[in-house]
Amino acid sequence: METSRRDFMKKSTLASLSLGVAATIPFVTHAENTAPADQINVGIIGCNSMGFGILKHHLGFPDVRCVAMCDVDENILNQRAEEIRKTFKQKPVLYRDFRKMLEQKDIDAVIIGTPDHWHCLITVFALQAGKHVYVEKPMANTIAECNIMVNAANYYKKVVQVGQQQRSGFIFQKSMDLIKTGKIGKLRKINIWANFNYGAGPDILADEPVPEGVDYDMWLGPAPKRPFNKNRFHGWWRLSWDYGGGLMSDWGVHLLDMGLWAKDLVKAPDKVLVYGTNNYHEKKARETFDSMTVSFPKDEYVINWDMTAGIQSGPYKMPYGIAFIGDDGTIVADRNKMNLFPEWDEEAKHSKTSEYQYLEGKESHKEHVRNFLDCIKSGQKNACPPEIGRAAALHVHIANIAARVGEPVLNWDDGKNLFTNNKAANELITPTYRSPWTLPKF
Ligand SMILES: NC(=O)c1ccc[n+]([C@@H]2O[C@H](COP(=O)([O-])OP(=O)(O)OC[C@H]3O[C@@H](n4cnc5c(N)ncnc54)[C@H](O)[C@@H]3O)[C@@H](O)[C@H]2O)c1
């Protein structure tokens, strides 16, 4: 039995991490002796939760400076800028309009921490302005936007890192090593689950006037005009179709990405089998589904996704996790830990493989950020380029589309970029941008 250090770090912040509450991390302040040529100047667009967490991870490295910050909510912007001034002794220029920020010449890289409906447009504008991009996951809110981002990144040849940080995480890297070196035998099935209370949504609230200091029209951007409601604003936007895809996309991109990585698949699903419904006992402020069961058949294995919002426990006493099931053993993993449970050989009277256990995992944002910075400097391929972000995002978007149009088996032709058995599903591939915004042409 191989057992690594057993200093298992129990974390109770899973739901809050997904909702983007920045974790408290001990940060070093900027080392003034970094040579200017080695320094990477970053600007951030969307500073509330996750974006700000990612900015702080950047500033944890001595070769990074924050030179610009942008948010359409002045209250958030001022608060976050004050923290950067106090903690890191840096004085970024502040903006409410990201287009102005992108004109600032000394910005090398941009962090995009806005809601998902903005990711495509801001990424393309940033690339056009010559910046590298760290864009949060899911890469975009629709299939067409994902395609545009892949094409734009290839055209401008800048580093685009999608925030699927598990690609840089110890536990999943270990799991992939074990799977790819045959330790669980033939991989046959991957069962993924994600159960989180927040996915059921907040209590219903009336619309209200736009809070002071908020440029709500710029928050909506290309999305349709709607009255202001706190339940569609900071954090909660992920449960409304115009801005996000619910628990399916919020956690799905992270976890399904691991299911694809196990076989190094970087492609959209050909087919999804989907059951999506709303079974939560109470009416909440939510447009997205609270319960979904999805199968993604692959050539040699199948990935199964099962989510139940409004509860927070699951198999193996884990609210979310992945079981990689092979002929000789099963690996069960989350971000913090993994166990390999061997199968028993009844004839030979011994296990078919060795036990493995790693309990030293932690959130891997910092490693993912470092990978981004290193690839800017080295020109090497980064851990999560747009092609990988797109593959994961298309898995969640296609599952959501199937559930929305009520098509239990939906077939996708990636070459033709359309669904072959449902016309209504094709209507959901490309968003209609609200004027004056237009979908970038790539
Ligand atoms: N990688 C992860 O583990 C992880 C975890 C949580 C969230 N996320 C992702 O991070 C992103 C942000 O999520 P969040 O929970 O921090 O959302 P949030 O609502 O808390 O913050 C978004 C911020 O963006 C600002 N914003 C909106 N439109 C803007 C614009 N046009 N210009 C400038 N600022 C704008 C908002 O005012 C707000 O301050 C999402 O894509 C989410 O999916 C990733």
Side-chain angles (χ1 to χ4, degrees):
M1 170 171 168
E2 182 178 316
T3 305
S4 71
R5 277 170 283 148
R6 287 171 181 271
D7 52 339
F8 171 50
M9 292 164 59
K10 195 159 188 170
K11 292 209 169 174
S12 58
T13 52
L14 301 174
S16 60
L17 277 170
S18 188
L19 279 174
V21 178
T24 313
I25 303 143
F27 291 105
V28 298
T29 46
H30 172 67
E32 293 298 337
N33 57 3
T34 302
D38 287 339
Q39 190 173 287
I40 296 179
N41 290 334
V42 299
I44 176 172
I45 301 167
C47 313
N48 190 29
S49 301
M50 198 63 225
F52 194 61
I54 292 298
L55 173 64
K56 290 202 287 183
H57 283 294
H58 278 78
L59 294 176
F61 294 111
D63 53 343
V64 180
R65 278 192 81 79
C66 175
V67 294
M69 297 178 76
C70 170
D71 204 291
V72 295
D73 184 340
E74 209 171 81
N75 313 297
I76 299 280
L77 184 63
N78 292 335
Q79 215 181 323
R80 299 302 189 224
E82 183 56 21
E83 197 176 328
I84 295 301
R85 274 193 287 270
K86 272 200 184 136
T87 313
F88 299 97
K89 315 283 178 258
Q90 298 184 15
K91 239 183 140 186
V93 185
L94 305 187
Y95 299 89
R96 281 175 59 155
D97 186 327
F98 71 88
R99 292 166 297 185
K100 283 265 163 261
M101 186 186 115
L102 291 173
E103 288 171 11
Q104 193 178 314
K105 291 278 181 288
D106 65 347
I107 300 173
D108 302 306
V110 167
I111 299 161
I112 302 174
T114 63
D116 308 347
H117 67 287
W118 264 116
H119 289 182
C120 173
L121 211 47
I122 299 179
T123 297
V124 173
F125 275 57
L127 289 169
Q128 278 169 348
K131 321 293 187 196
H132 301 282
V133 175
Y134 186 112
V135 59
E136 260 311 335
K137 51 52 57 177
M139 183 169 155
N141 201 32
T142 62
I143 296 173
E145 290 170 306
C146 291
N147 295 342
I148 289 166
M149 290 165 82
V150 170
N151 294 341
N154 288 337
Y155 181 80
Y156 287 106
K157 300 197 187 335
K158 291 284 168 187
V159 180
V160 176
Q161 179 87 308
V162 182
Q164 288 160 214
Q165 71 276 0
Q166 290 172 177
R167 287 261 167 181
S168 300
F170 172 80
I171 288 291
F172 285 111
Q173 285 173 349
K174 275 285 162 202
S175 303
M176 296 306 150
D177 281 355
L178 293 171
I179 293 165
K180 290 171 190 179
T181 53
K183 299 290 189 299
I184 62 168
K186 183 182 185 315
L187 175 67
R188 293 172 47 188
K189 185 188 278 184
I190 299 180
N191 288 345
I192 303 177
W193 65 98
N195 302 332
F196 288 107
N197 285 328
Y198 80 86
D203 292 338
I204 293 166
L205 291 174
D207 295 342
E208 53 183 289
V210 177
E212 212 169 307
V214 173
D215 183 347
Y216 180 56
D217 193 60
M218 194 66 168
W219 187 96
L220 285 171
K225 186 119 191 133
R226 289 176 88 168
F228 180 87
N229 191 303
K230 278 205 185 88
N231 285 336
R232 294 190 294 267
F233 196 47
H234 294 331
W236 289 117
W237 51 262
R238 52 199 2 99
L239 305 181
S240 293
W241 294 120
D242 289 339
Y243 328 114
L247 186 50
M248 178 79 234
S249 73
D250 210 24
W251 273 87
V253 278
H254 283 306
L255 301 176
L256 290 164
D257 185 29
M258 300 299 97
L260 298 172
W261 196 12
K263 286 276 193 181
D264 291 321
L265 286 188
V266 186
K267 65 193 279 272
D270 301 326
K271 179 195 284 287
V272 296
L273 288 76
V274 176
Y275 177 69
T277 188
N278 285 305
N279 279 336
Y280 190 62
H281 64 276
E282 215 180 320
K283 188 127 182 60
K284 294 279 199 175
R286 181 191 71 250
E287 296 171 1
T288 52
F289 297 100
D290 64 38
S291 307
M292 287 182 77
T293 305
V294 186
S295 282
F296 301 94
K298 305 292 174 194
D299 282 347
E300 294 182 4
Y301 70 125
V302 60
I303 305 177
N304 295 316
W305 163 265
D306 190 64
M307 65 171 235
T308 311
I311 63 165
Q312 194 127 339
S313 57
Y316 303 92
K317 296 189 178 165
M318 292 154 67
Y320 77 96
I322 311 185
F324 300 92
I325 300 169
D327 275 333
D328 296 344
T330 292
I331 290 175
V332 177
D334 64 13
R335 291 172 181 174
N336 309 117
K337 58 188 182 300
M338 65 132 292
N339 282 283
L340 194 166
F341 302 112
E343 286 295 312
W344 181 251
D345 187 330
E346 193 51 47
E347 262 178 40
K349 301 291 179 212
H350 61 65
S351 298
K352 291 186 179 175
T353 187
S354 307
E355 277 183 41
Y356 287 83
Q357 186 178 54
Y358 292 98
L359 303 174
E360 63 207 71
K362 56 183 169 50
E363 275 297 335
S364 40
H365 297 288
K366 185 178 170 195
E367 290 75 10
H368 207 49
V369 165
R370 188 65 249 174
N371 171 265
F372 174 56
L373 298 168
D374 287 344
C375 291
I376 291 175
K377 291 183 178 186
S378 69
Q380 286 187 332
K381 195 79 177 165
N382 50 311
C384 193
E387 293 78 10
I388 289 179
R390 173 185 183 269
L394 261 63
H395 278 71
V396 302
H397 292 324
I398 290 176
N400 265 337
I401 288 172
R404 289 175 75 179
V405 301
E407 181 65 67
V409 181
L410 189 59
N411 298 320
W412 172 250
D413 183 330
D414 207 35
K416 295 193 177 130
N417 200 47
L418 51 77
F419 296 103
T420 53
N421 64 330
N422 190 300
K423 277 195 180 145
N426 284 322
E427 301 296 312
L428 296 176
I429 295 171
T430 310
T432 306
Y433 273 16
R434 184 172 64 103
S435 175
W437 303 101
T438 53
L439 199 63
K441 287 195 172 46
F442 267 99

